[in-house]
Amino acid sequence: MKRFFHTGKSRVLVGVTAVLLILAVLSAGFGRTATSSFLGVITAPLQGAGTAAMRAIGDALGVNDHTEELDALKEENRLLREQLVDYYDVKRQNIQYASILEIKEQNKDFEFVAAAVIGRDPNDLYYGFSIDQGSLNGISVNDPVITSDGVVGIVTEVYATTSRVKTILSPDLEISAVSTEFRESGVTSSDIETAEAGCIRLNYLTRDTKIKENTIITTSGLSGVYPKGLVLGYVTSVQPSEYDVSYCATVQPCVDIKNVTDVFVITDFLGQGESSNAIFDEQTGGNK
Amino acid sequence: MMERRMTAVRYFAYALEFFVLHVLSQTPGMLPAIEGIRPVPLIAAAVAAALFESEIPSLVFGLSAGLLIDFGMGCVLGFHALILAALCFLISWLCRNLLRVNFLTCAAVSLGVCVVLLSLQWVFFVVLAGQSGAGHIYVRYILPRAAYSALFCLVVYPIHRGLFSVTG
């Protein structure tokens, strides 16, 4: 055994360990930009191709809600499968653009980038995913990720051609939320049990809360990270909090976060990056 | 000369296999999820490579597989690489000196490495991160994922043995 530690192999092991430790410390301290961007450039096209293939299979099997149209097209174009795949690609793009238009009409200040989910890591318990758009497409860290149904999450890492998204099911994400119906606000959070059920929790409600089943919860826009008025979900139950005297509500997101395939990244909106205090200062000229 | 060429072919095949497994594990719907649990097949592939190769190549393959897992998970780059490189080095050394290489060894070692690696991942990214329900996560997700990931030795061991017998 003593001899082992004097061999060249053991020196290589020690050397590699030292290099990896330095890499880990550097990536923890300064982010993972260069190496990760390089890996992303290599793996993203393959992941994209794999995902596209899976979608094509899903479409062909009628899994993706296109069964009726697929059947009609099958009758007409059974021999033209390649064209059929092209048709669905165009159709999906149209749906994306229609959604963009719908959201854009409601929120004229939003700037969007449409993105497809290309990867879901098996190690992520909270359904985080990678998208096929990165810094080259104008995406930055902390950009909100949505669908036409509501909020999905936030961009946490950006590489040249891909980005990583943390979903609202992650316990690391807390969003300032409000019920526009009852003008009651709270903060959403999650843990493994709520995430398993595909839900989030709205915390810090008062004991006399009027929030009840089916109340719609939206973002309040206070943090400057999410625009105001994006739908988070609807309340399924209200119960006393386990940790203090306040109440909390279980909120079912309107988006199917576990299976979402196409998203929009909001790259710019009015008030982005400004906390409520900053907006208040701006409006009052700093005179409180 | 011929031997070197064969070794290069084998290493290239390993690299290709790692890359394909990484893409497979990351692509939604490609590998079936059981009760929401998805496997990490790269661990079994790195272990299978370590069973047949000498220490330094094993370390390099462990490192490569670990870096791909790090990249996929979006955690600190080098965490899985460091552990998997060291474990593959150790496995290779054990196989050269103590263990007999067969399918049972591969299955047992794969399971052990999966449990160790994913448990350390749990310790650092769940327990030390202060996430609630750490025990539930370990029993409900980490251990089943380790078992599911180790199952991939059924696929990768014959491939590696075949590659080694042809090119070794």
Side-chain angles (χ1 to χ4, degrees):
Chain A
M1 199 60 162
K2 255 186 187 176
R3 230 187 304 155
F4 172 78
F5 290 105
H6 290 95
T7 60
K9 286 172 184 173
S10 67
R11 283 177 194 144
V12 172
L13 176 65
V14 171
V16 169
T17 307
V19 169
L20 284 174
L21 273 175
I22 292 167
L23 178 68
V25 170
L26 284 177
S27 78
F30 303 104
R32 317 165 346 124
T33 48
T35 322
S36 298
S37 284
F38 173 69
L39 283 170
V41 166
I42 298 171
T43 55
L46 278 172
Q47 276 182 244
T51 308
M54 287 307 290
R55 282 188 190 182
I57 292 166
D59 286 342
L61 294 172
V63 173
N64 299 339
D65 297 325
H66 294 310
T67 318
E68 285 176 19
E69 289 163 57
L70 183 64
D71 287 341
L73 284 165
K74 262 184 181 174
E75 286 170 17
E76 292 172 18
N77 296 318
R78 196 168 286 278
L79 301 173
L80 301 170
R81 288 187 188 281
E82 279 184 24
Q83 284 183 17
L84 192 63
V85 171
D86 288 345
Y87 165 78
Y88 278 115
D89 278 345
V90 172
K91 191 175 175 210
R92 194 167 55 239
Q93 276 179 347
N94 275 340
I95 293 168
Q96 279 186 343
Y97 294 143
S99 300
I100 287 183
L101 192 66
E102 188 188 328
I103 301 168
K104 188 81 183 168
E105 277 172 358
Q106 289 167 2
N107 307 278
K108 297 202 186 307
D109 57 314
F110 285 10
E111 294 291 334
F112 293 107
V113 173
V117 176
I118 56 164
R120 280 185 189 269
D121 187 61
N123 291 302
D124 193 328
L125 299 170
Y126 303 102
Y127 305 95
F129 53 81
S130 301
I131 54 174
D132 64 348
Q133 306 287 335
S135 56
L136 294 175
N137 309 97
I139 291 175
S140 336
V141 171
N142 284 341
D143 281 348
V145 179
I146 62 168
T147 70
S148 54
D149 294 328
V151 180
V152 175
I154 197 165
V155 174
T156 52
E157 288 175 42
V158 179
Y159 310 119
T161 54
T162 61
S163 305
R164 195 176 299 282
V165 176
K166 205 165 256 189
T167 68
I168 55 174
L169 299 182
S170 166
D172 299 335
L173 231 62
E174 292 188 337
I175 304 169
S176 175
V178 66
S179 150
T180 41
E181 189 181 351
F182 301 110
R183 306 304 307 164
E184 285 185 47
S185 60
V187 176
T188 67
S189 68
S190 182
D191 56 31
I192 189 65
E193 283 169 23
T194 48
E196 264 175 16
C199 296
I200 53 175
R201 211 164 18 212
L202 180 66
N203 299 307
Y204 311 123
L205 300 175
T206 54
R207 290 184 65 152
D208 53 348
T209 178
K210 293 189 183 76
I211 287 177
K212 56 182 190 293
E213 219 173 294
N214 291 327
T215 303
I216 300 289
I217 304 298
T218 62
T219 53
S220 68
L222 284 177
S223 62
V225 176
Y226 293 92
K228 186 182 172 185
L230 293 177
V231 175
L232 280 162
Y234 56 91
V235 173
T236 54
S237 65
V238 181
Q239 60 275 329
S241 171
E242 295 165 26
Y243 309 108
D244 51 41
V245 293
S246 67
Y247 272 57
C248 65
T250 304
V251 177
Q252 176 72 51
C254 293
V255 184
D256 182 6
I257 299 214
K258 294 178 181 177
N259 298 305
V260 68
T261 54
D262 294 295
V263 294
F264 302 113
V265 182
I266 304 176
T267 54
D268 192 28
F269 62 90
L270 205 62
Q272 185 175 30
E274 294 174 10
S275 67
S276 55
N277 288 342
I279 295 168
F280 182 76
D281 283 350
E282 201 173 283
Q283 285 171 350
T284 58
N287 301 320
K288 290 183 187 175
Chain B
M1 189 64 180
M2 189 64 180
E3 194 181 324
R4 272 191 179 180
R5 195 173 292 172
M6 285 302 191
T7 307
V9 168
R10 192 167 70 248
Y11 288 177
F12 179 73
Y14 288 157
L16 200 64
E17 179 198 37
F18 283 14
F19 207 67
V20 169
L21 286 176
H22 172 68
V23 173
L24 280 179
S25 67
Q26 293 288 317
T27 306
M30 202 70 101
L31 296 176
I34 300 172
E35 292 288 313
I37 292 151
R38 293 169 58 209
V40 190
L42 274 169
I43 305 174
V47 168
L51 290 176
F52 293 103
E53 302 298 334
S54 57
E55 287 94 329
I56 301 301
S58 300
L59 180 139
V60 172
F61 288 123
L63 186 149
S64 314
L67 277 176
L68 284 172
I69 296 172
D70 285 330
F71 173 68
M73 189 180 164
C75 66
V76 173
L77 206 60
F79 175 81
H80 295 90
L82 179 61
I83 299 164
L84 209 48
L87 286 175
C88 286
F89 185 95
L90 179 71
I91 291 162
S92 175
W93 185 82
L94 287 173
C95 288
R96 304 281 86 71
N97 296 288
L98 293 168
L99 296 175
R100 183 182 290 251
V101 177
N102 56 32
F103 177 72
L104 274 182
T105 313
C106 181
V109 173
S110 292
L111 184 62
V113 170
C114 287
V115 169
V116 169
L117 187 68
L118 296 179
S119 297
L120 284 170
Q121 185 196 91
W122 170 77
V123 168
F124 280 90
F125 297 109
V126 177
V127 178
L128 294 180
Q131 279 189 28
S132 61
H136 174 73
I137 289 173
Y138 191 71
V139 176
R140 168 73 176 80
Y141 291 99
I142 303 297
L143 289 180
R145 189 191 297 151
Y148 193 3
S149 304
L151 269 182
F152 276 80
C153 70
L154 287 170
V155 180
V156 291
Y157 177 78
I159 294 173
H160 284 228
R161 197 179 59 176
L163 265 174
F164 195 75
S165 62
V166 171
T167 61

